[in-house]
Amino acid sequence: MSPDIKDLRAIERFVVAEPLTGSFGAAGITLLDIAEQGAQIEHAQPLRLGSRARLWFKRGEVSASVHALVIWSRLSDKPNDEGKLLYHTGLRVDDPQTTFAPAIQALADHGVIRRDTESLERKRRKYFDREQERSSKPSVKLIKSEDISPDQTLLIQHARERLQNDPEEARKWYNRARYAIVESSAPIAAEVRGREDVLAVWEYLERSVPLSTIVRVFEKKM
């Protein structure tokens, strides 16, 4: 097994087996799944893309409090008690080694969360389906867009600065992106071929931002 594949699979994701609630800033949240690098949360009020706040949760004697960044957010098909749809949001944790990683281990030991053994295959299927929708022939290509929102610009800039300050982490995210592309047999567009920085940010943001948008923001900063 290559180091790239090993690094990808070493980052385990856990699904919440028992109710686990907390807060993100002023918003009350329910955790849906969790990993050392971040979490997916469910909440009633919208959260702004690129916003940063403190993620907090507590279950018995286990608690965590870390800063996190909103990297994607969308309406789910699940309504709350009032019939309004809830939001699902992906968070990226800034410093998982403080209280976050130990809390994940403790929650797993107590059976509150369990390893998501199907997450890798699910990501592969989602990626492949998304690329098929864009083209009859799956490919990782630049999708032209007219405007880039200020939120997206700040989000990309934040991700880029973080990875520039941590080359080892940047390499890890690039390896994950490359492995996902290889697994899907999707060719890389010429505009991003060899752009490790672009692909690292794309993967860091869970491929929630088009490659074309990342490239354009990078070019504006140069």
Side-chain angles (χ1 to χ4, degrees), residues 125-142:
R125 290 198 303 267
K126 182 186 293 185
Y127 176 81
F128 182 78
D129 291 343
R130 184 168 60 227
E131 292 304 315
Q132 274 200 321
E133 289 177 2
R134 293 176 179 174
S135 171
S136 58
K137 181 180 179 181
S139 62
V140 179
K141 56 186 176 182
L142 298 179

Side-chain angles (χ1 to χ4, degrees), residues 135-184:
S135 171
S136 58
K137 181 180 179 181
S139 62
V140 179
K141 56 186 176 182
L142 298 179
I143 306 300
K144 300 299 182 183
S145 59
E146 295 299 324
D147 299 306
I148 303 175
S149 70
D151 288 350
Q152 276 194 325
T153 298
L154 289 174
L155 182 67
I156 293 166
Q157 290 174 349
H158 172 89
R160 188 185 194 188
E161 290 170 4
R162 177 178 177 83
L163 296 183
Q164 283 179 331
N165 292 330
D166 192 339
E168 184 177 345
E169 184 177 7
R171 184 68 182 176
K172 177 194 69 179
W173 289 111
Y174 166 70
N175 285 339
R176 293 186 66 181
R178 188 176 66 176
Y179 172 65
I181 292 168
V182 169
E183 282 294 293
S184 67

Side-chain angles (χ1 to χ4, degrees), residues 38-104:
Q40 181 182 178
I41 60 174
E42 185 176 74
H43 49 97
Q45 299 300 322
L47 293 175
R48 185 176 179 179
L49 188 69
S51 61
R52 294 168 57 84
R54 183 169 292 277
L55 171 65
W56 175 88
F57 63 83
K58 181 177 175 63
R59 176 64 184 262
E61 297 181 354
V62 180
S63 65
S65 179
V66 291
H67 285 103
L69 172 77
V70 175
I71 60 173
W72 60 265
S73 188
R74 56 176 174 263
L75 277 172
S76 71
D77 56 1
K78 180 180 177 180
N80 61 12
D81 294 337
E82 299 175 353
K84 296 181 179 180
L85 294 179
L86 294 168
Y87 290 86
H88 286 178
T89 294
L91 303 178
R92 180 72 64 209
V93 171
D94 282 346
D95 189 6
Q97 297 305 317
T98 52
T99 61
F100 204 61
I104 290 176

